[in-house]
Amino acid sequence: MENQTLNTDFLLVEGLKVTPQSSVPAFILILLIYIFIMVSNIGLVVLITMERSLHQPMYLLFCNMSINDVFGATALIPRLLSDVFIPDTERFIHYIDCAFQAFCLHLHASASHTVLIIMAFDRYVAICNPLRYATIMTRRMVVKLSVSAWLVSFVMVLILVGLSVRLSRCRIIISHPFCDNASLFKLSCESVLINNIYGLGYTVVLLGSSLGSVTLTYLKIATVCVLSKNKSLNSKALQTCVTHLAVYIIMFMSGSIIIILHRFPHLSHERKLASILFHVVPPAMNAVIYGLQIKAVRQKLFILFLHRK
């Protein structure tokens, strides 16, 4: 089987490894996390859409992150839930569905970085050029930035997954909890040198531009705050930038852990768990971190708790 091209279009996915005794608790926990991600992120988007006072560039850019989190969680969690009660030897997935899931998950990861880059740019203009903010960050500019963030991610991931899909297959086992690009090209017995080169370049460009732009942006913001000695400006910068940095650090650390664990083959189980958490923890935290920053969200939560009492 290792040395011949298989005709079957069905793959066997490792899925989430749980014992029969822990399958029900695992299912309930993952389901609750998924419901929380969906309710919190969709709720935030609906609130920003309906509340006119929130029709500002910063909040409209928040919507990109929430939509991306819903997209990423939906690409992963329902499949994990369906596999919990299925025996390991029967977790089959069609190759096209596997490739589509890999594309969606990489698009989610890539868009997380590009969206945070444009959000950093918004904070830079707001704090470093406050008088020109309204003329620069128009609705048209917000749309352009949002489309650019998604389009760049889409093209980069399309090439990434496309290079793997072009390969013939001689294996049918996905040794991962879900389908990703690495799992796809590992199914082939052909040379994957091009895949490795592009994958490395993709990672360097994405992480380098993300980390570089966010670092430079906040160094500029810190410089302006120190030189201005304006308490009002500093307070605004602290309030809006801390949430952005918190989200970025959570996402960056989640991704870095996966990369680091790749260096330790004996920690493969931990790496697989970390890869799941990367697509679960940031989406669950982002809406909370951003939502609590918005005054209208805090007020509605306060009213909700008062009514319950």
Side-chain angles (χ1 to χ4, degrees):
M1 185 176 290
E2 292 291 325
N3 296 320
Q4 62 182 7
T5 300
L6 298 176
N7 294 321
T8 179
D9 286 328
F10 288 91
L11 308 175
L12 183 63
V13 184
E14 181 181 280
L16 190 65
K17 284 195 171 183
V18 290
T19 61
Q21 295 78 14
S22 59
S23 57
V24 173
F27 180 88
I28 294 173
L29 177 61
I30 297 171
L31 179 61
L32 289 175
I33 292 172
Y34 182 56
I35 292 172
F36 177 77
I37 291 172
M38 299 297 285
V39 171
S40 58
N41 282 285
I42 294 175
L44 186 59
V45 173
V46 171
L47 178 64
I48 292 173
T49 304
M50 296 182 66
E51 196 78 28
R52 282 196 171 186
S53 62
L54 299 180
H55 290 184
Q56 302 174 30
M58 179 175 67
Y59 301 126
L60 294 175
L61 291 175
F62 282 177
C63 292
N64 281 286
M65 185 60 72
S66 290
I67 292 169
N68 186 43
D69 288 338
V70 169
F71 171 70
T74 302
L76 173 67
I77 297 179
R79 178 74 198 188
L80 286 179
L81 289 173
S82 67
D83 285 345
V84 168
F85 298 111
I86 299 176
D88 296 355
T89 56
E90 298 177 16
R91 292 174 180 173
F92 290 101
I93 185 173
H94 197 281
Y95 181 77
I96 294 176
D97 295 332
C98 186
F100 183 69
Q101 184 186 49
F103 175 82
C104 291
L105 291 177
H106 282 283
L107 180 59
H108 164 250
S110 179
S112 297
H113 286 278
T114 54
V115 168
L116 284 170
I117 289 173
I118 63 175
M119 290 175 70
F121 173 75
D122 171 74
R123 291 301 82 210
Y124 169 77
V125 177
I127 295 166
C128 299
N129 295 284
L131 298 179
R132 298 181 57 203
Y133 182 73
T135 58
I136 296 175
M137 293 302 295
T138 60
R139 286 193 178 183
R140 185 180 180 127
M141 177 59 76
V142 171
V143 172
K144 281 185 177 180
L145 290 173
S146 299
V147 170
S148 298
W150 282 96
L151 188 59
V152 168
S153 298
F154 182 87
V155 172
M156 290 177 67
V157 174
L158 186 64
I159 296 172
L160 181 75
V161 177
L163 287 173
S164 297
V165 171
R166 71 184 173 87
L167 300 170
S168 61
R169 302 185 298 279
C170 64
R171 303 180 183 94
I172 63 168
I173 298 176
I174 300 288
S175 300
H176 203 59
F178 51 85
C179 295
D180 62 356
N181 184 61
S183 300
L184 288 178
F185 68 69
K186 285 179 181 177
L187 295 174
S188 178
C189 294
E190 295 181 40
S191 171
V192 293
L193 179 61
I194 296 176
N195 299 72
N196 286 325
I197 291 174
Y198 181 82
L200 179 61
Y202 163 84
T203 304
V204 170
V205 170
L206 186 64
L207 294 183
S209 58
S210 171
L211 185 60
S213 62
V214 170
T215 302
L216 288 174
T217 297
Y218 281 98
L219 284 175
K220 286 270 190 181
I221 291 174
T223 302
V224 168
C225 291
V226 170
L227 295 177
S228 69
K229 296 181 180 180
N230 186 326
K231 289 185 178 180
S232 176
L233 179 67
N234 293 345
S235 175
K236 180 183 177 182
L238 185 65
Q239 180 184 2
T240 59
C241 294
V242 165
T243 51
H244 181 267
L245 277 176
V247 169
Y248 185 81
I249 290 170
I250 290 172
M251 183 197 69
F252 190 82
M253 291 300 295
S254 300
S256 298
I257 290 172
I258 299 173
I259 295 172
I260 292 170
L261 289 176
H262 265 290
R263 300 289 180 182
F264 303 95
H266 62 285
L267 297 177
S268 62
H269 179 70
E270 287 77 6
R271 175 176 55 80
K272 292 171 184 176
L273 179 61
S275 65
I276 294 175
L277 294 178
F278 173 78
H279 294 282
V280 173
V281 174
M285 296 296 296
N286 291 348
V288 175
I289 294 171
Y290 281 126
L292 292 179
Q293 180 204 326
I294 302 173
K295 186 178 179 181
V297 174
R298 295 199 302 268
Q299 288 175 341
K300 290 196 179 290
L301 287 175
F302 183 69
I303 293 171
L304 180 64
F305 282 118
L306 279 181
H307 278 310
R308 286 190 173 182
K309 290 181 180 180

